[in-house]
Amino acid sequence: MTQPSPTSSPRLIAMTGASGLLGSLLTAHLESLGHRIVPLIRHKPAKDQEAIFWSPEHQEIDQDALEGFDAVIHLAGENLFGLRWTAAKKRAILESRERGTTLLATTLARLTEKPAVLISASAVGFYGDTHDAWADENSPAGTGFLAEVCQAWESSTEPARAAGIPVVNARLGVVWSKDGGALSKMLPLFRAGLGGKLGPGNQYMAWVDAADVCAAFAFLLERPDITGPVNINAPEPATNTELTRTLGNVLGRPTIFPVPSFALRLALGKDQADATLLQGQRVRPARLLEAGFNFQYPSLDSSLRHILLSDA
């Protein structure tokens, strides 16, 4: 896998969302490479705790504590899942990303010692429903709620960019990990032999193995020439039918229980079901590939076997 040497250039890195699934995995990976991670947390740190206070809800942040960091990684945002997308939930999804990112970006812009890079999370939802068409970083924004959220999310990094801080908008695919996220929610049904395709099954998913996400972030820390939008998803997006078949094969279980679109819309509401399960993105990680990044798990089969059948 293409990744920096553990001893090449250790960084002091501030990170929001460090306690989440991706943040926890990324912290462990970057620390294994010799970097030092300081989390931004939403309560006053204890005296012996190396952390920085911030409160996006109250637009508060310890600006002085952010001086002198080599890099900042911003992952924090309201979870898309767990609750139906009521008007209040959709507002929380948007505002947590827009307000939190704006607070962080404007604060970094005011620093005397600015970071060498801000890597701010976004998502492949930026492209909307691409159907069978390929999208890459040069493709325009799509339509729909998630596309609008991603556009606002990325636009909120502009104060940092305008202040001369290189900004990477990391457009993440669906992250595969057995420790949480979409895959962990699917596994109980599939292990019980109750899995099946969702809706028509021809909708694409831009997925990515968590190990490759961590390696991609480490790679981007070493590449100051790469800024702007960067897709972080496996180069082989799969349809829901392909995902269903591959997951069943890896687990050795049948996948004969399809879930019709109307049932998903009834359970989740039309907006959420369509945006997260019935629409899809066929996305190419063009900029990473062109920069020489090698995905260790480029195919669904390789990723699922790595996650589910190995000790790695």
Side-chain angles (χ1 to χ4, degrees):
M1 180 191 301
T2 300
Q3 57 180 260
S5 165
T7 58
S8 61
S9 50
R11 304 286 205 278
L12 177 61
I13 302 169
M15 183 186 296
T16 75
S19 62
L21 171 65
L22 179 55
S24 299
L25 295 171
L26 184 55
T27 294
H29 180 72
L30 293 177
E31 287 181 342
S32 76
L33 298 178
H35 302 304
R36 181 170 144 215
I37 309 302
V38 179
L40 275 74
I41 60 175
R42 303 192 186 208
H43 57 82
K44 298 292 184 181
K47 288 185 178 180
D48 59 348
Q49 184 179 15
E50 188 175 37
I52 299 168
F53 169 73
W54 83 317
S55 173
E57 297 82 2
H58 298 98
Q59 292 291 284
E60 297 176 3
I61 192 168
D62 186 348
Q63 178 175 320
D64 291 342
L66 281 167
E67 290 280 1
F69 277 84
D70 297 308
V72 177
I73 295 176
H74 175 43
L75 304 175
E78 174 80 9
N79 196 325
L80 294 180
F81 303 99
L83 295 172
R84 288 175 70 96
W85 280 5
T86 61
K89 175 67 173 178
K90 291 171 77 171
R91 185 166 59 251
I93 289 170
L94 173 60
E95 290 184 354
S96 68
R97 288 160 174 78
E98 195 169 34
R99 287 170 57 82
T101 306
T102 298
L103 172 63
L104 182 63
T106 54
T107 301
L108 296 178
R110 292 195 298 263
L111 297 179
T112 301
E113 296 182 71
K114 296 177 176 62
V117 65
L118 166 63
I119 303 179
S120 184
S122 182
V124 294
F126 177 93
Y127 304 107
D129 187 1
T130 69
H131 304 286
D132 290 333
W134 284 94
D136 63 21
E137 290 89 348
N138 292 317
S139 300
T143 59
F145 174 65
L146 289 185
E148 293 169 2
V149 167
C150 290
Q151 291 173 70
W153 200 357
E154 295 185 13
S155 295
S156 297
T157 62
E158 184 55 33
R161 186 180 289 106
I165 299 171
V167 175
V168 176
N169 300 110
R171 293 176 182 168
L172 293 160
V174 177
V175 178
W176 273 166
S177 170
K178 64 183 176 184
D179 298 317
L183 181 59
S184 69
K185 292 178 172 62
M186 296 166 61
L187 284 175
L189 278 176
F190 275 79
R191 281 178 167 147
L194 300 175
K197 71 174 184 177
L198 303 179
N202 60 355
Q203 66 274 31
Y204 277 89
M205 174 183 285
W207 61 275
V208 61
D209 193 292
D212 280 332
V213 177
C214 293
F217 271 77
F219 181 83
L220 291 167
L221 286 171
E222 298 294 322
R223 291 294 302 267
D225 56 311
I226 302 175
T227 60
V230 176
N231 295 331
I232 302 181
N233 65 280
E236 300 178 20
T239 65
N240 184 262
T241 296
E242 292 167 342
L243 166 60
T244 300
R245 182 175 61 249
T246 304
L247 184 52
N249 288 340
V250 171
L251 293 173
R253 296 290 188 272
T255 54
I256 57 174
F257 294 95
V259 183
S261 299
F262 80 84
L264 294 169
R265 289 168 175 151
L266 186 64
L268 299 176
K270 186 178 187 303
D271 283 354
Q272 185 175 353
D274 286 356
T276 62
L277 298 175
L278 298 175
Q279 297 175 356
Q281 291 81 36
R282 193 181 190 188
V283 175
R284 182 173 183 266
R287 298 195 67 199
L288 280 178
L289 293 174
E290 290 163 4
F293 180 80
N294 294 314
F295 287 84
Q296 187 171 0
Y297 305 104
S299 70
L300 264 180
D301 186 73
S302 64
S303 175
L304 291 173
R305 290 185 184 281
H306 154 241
I307 292 170
L308 301 175
L309 303 182
S310 75
D311 296 327

